[in-house]
Amino acid sequence: DQQVKQNSPSLSVQEGRISILNCDYTNSMFDYFLWYKKYPAEGPTFLISISSIKDKNEDGRFTVFLNKSAKHLSLHIVPSQPGDSAVYFCAAKGRTSGTYKYIFGTGTRLKVLA
Amino acid sequence: SQTIHQWPATLVQPVGSPLSLECTVEGTSNPNLYWYRQAAGRGLQLLFYSVGIGQISSEVPQNLSASRPQDRQFILSSKKLLLSDSGFYLCALLGAGANYGYTFGSGTRLTVV
């Protein structure tokens, strides 16, 4: 059962335009969400996060939006740059037996075209 | 600051051979540690996590095992590798406070041939 879903495996965007990456989740108990960026043959790196008590968090070119009623979050990158080309994972924080862990989506490969 | 070291970076192993991947952390004590796998075309799948020495929780039944012999050491092992064990293995450390998310190691690309 995939609790965190990224339904678009890939996305291509022209440089300078907006990139929108989407993520859906099923568990209403998730209270914290993160986006990670991953280049090939490297570990993911943290990009931006949002708490469930907020609906928007912004950091430079990156903005994450959370719609709790729809159990949906999105990452906006404006303007998109070629260096943004990577795989993006959304992750939701869950708690099992008193231990925190993050459940990841399947990732979306973003390609920014110069 | 917290850092996480993982090795080797790449590994090619024949089917049926054993496996040992090591992960060590610095800059923190009693961390929560995790092993994830990214298989081709799939997301990051949690394999094991550990909240302390000798404490291992398995998320999915598989051909792998994990051990935590020391506070800052987390090991992923297999007695006999299968072709399906191929993938990119990542060790992760939960940041100070769960809302800091993970710090990941640089990963190990395992190819079973």
Side-chain angles (χ1 to χ4, degrees), chain A residues 2 87 89 105-107, chain B residues 37-45 60 84:
Chain A
Q2 190 72 26
V87 177
F89 290 97
T106 50
Chain B
R37 175 173 62 196
Q38 182 188 15
R42 301 185 65 180
L44 297 175
Q45 181 187 31
V60 293
S84 58

Side-chain angles (χ1 to χ4, degrees), chain A residues 31-32 34 36 38-46 49 51 87 89 93 96-97 99-107 109, chain B residues 32 34 36 38 41-46 49-51 57 59 88 90 94 97-107 109:
Chain A
D31 64 355
Y32 201 77
L34 303 93
Y36 282 85
K38 184 183 181 299
Y39 293 116
E42 295 183 10
T45 54
F46 169 77
S49 63
S51 166
V87 177
F89 290 97
K93 188 183 79 175
T96 304
S97 302
T99 301
Y100 290 107
K101 55 186 175 181
Y102 282 88
I103 299 169
F104 287 83
T106 50
R109 183 177 301 278
Chain B
N32 284 10
Y34 305 79
Y36 279 84
Q38 182 188 15
R42 301 185 65 180
L44 297 175
Q45 181 187 31
L46 178 62
Y49 65 92
S50 171
V51 299
S57 296
E59 284 292 297
F88 191 62
L90 290 156
L94 187 65
N99 287 353
Y100 285 92
Y102 293 138
T103 297
F104 283 91
S106 53
R109 169 70 61 193

